[in-house]
Amino acid sequence: MRYLVDPFPRPEASLIDLLRTAAGDRDRGVRIYDRRGKTIVRKTWAEVVDLSARWATWARATGVRPGDHVMISLPTSFEFAAAWFGAVLLGARPLALALPRAMGGENAFQRRIRGLWDFLSPAWLVAEGWARETLEKSEVPEAAAGRVHEFPDLS
């Protein structure tokens, strides 16, 4: 059995420390697989951290502040990773929110969002376009106005 050498042997290292170290790694990376187990996209850690830093810059310009909660409801993707790691780099608090089709459908999604928005203020939501349409049909508080965004074009 082969074991990978831990490149981060310091137990006191924070996720931000790990991302800074990973930013210099142009060899190793992350792969996203399809349902058949075939690689569909690969990025180096340097690319992932760069995308995350660009997301953090965009989020800061949008109004996300350190300590804010960022709900992320995206499929498994580099966009999800960038929003999660970008929120961490910004000092915000990311949390994964299951897609509606994964956890009870659209009505359950609306109830979860409504409950989380009441509990986590200030909060933001990063999701696909359907999320805005879904929230428009729900009773999400006015606090959500201007705080629901699709993943931006960071190119």
Side-chain angles (χ1 to χ4, degrees):
M1 185 179 323
R2 284 181 27 197
Y3 292 96
L4 297 175
V5 177
D6 184 358
F8 312 108
R10 302 170 312 167
E12 73 280 359
S14 70
L15 181 54
I16 292 175
D17 295 332
L18 300 177
L19 290 171
R20 285 185 185 132
T21 301
D25 193 338
R26 302 214 176 272
D27 297 322
R28 288 181 290 178
V30 180
R31 296 179 200 282
I32 302 287
Y33 294 92
D34 67 11
R35 291 182 180 181
R36 295 178 308 269
K38 297 186 185 219
T39 301
I40 54 173
V41 185
R42 180 190 185 279
K43 291 188 183 291
T44 65
W45 275 111
E47 292 171 313
V48 172
V49 174
D50 177 65
L51 183 61
S52 302
R54 286 186 280 139
W55 187 90
T57 299
W58 168 84
R60 183 179 297 115
T62 303
V64 179
R65 298 292 174 248
D68 287 357
H69 295 90
V70 178
M71 296 179 279
I72 303 166
S73 186
L74 295 169
T76 302
S77 61
F78 286 108
E79 289 79 9
F80 180 94
W84 186 277
F85 293 141
V88 169
L89 290 171
L90 181 58
R93 297 175 180 156
L95 63 110
L97 185 61
L99 299 170
R101 52 193 174 270
M103 298 289 286
E106 193 174 289
N107 288 335
F109 181 77
Q110 290 175 356
R111 284 192 309 274
R112 278 195 310 276
I113 291 283
R114 188 172 45 251
L116 286 169
W117 225 287
D118 291 341
F119 182 70
L120 298 175
S121 188
W124 300 80
L125 174 66
V126 179
E128 295 178 312
W130 55 263
R132 185 183 307 268
E133 296 166 14
T134 298
L135 293 176
E136 287 173 356
K137 295 184 244 175
S138 73
E139 300 172 13
V140 173
E142 290 184 20
R147 292 177 175 260
V148 178
H149 297 279
E150 292 183 50
F151 191 88
D153 178 4
L154 299 173
S155 53

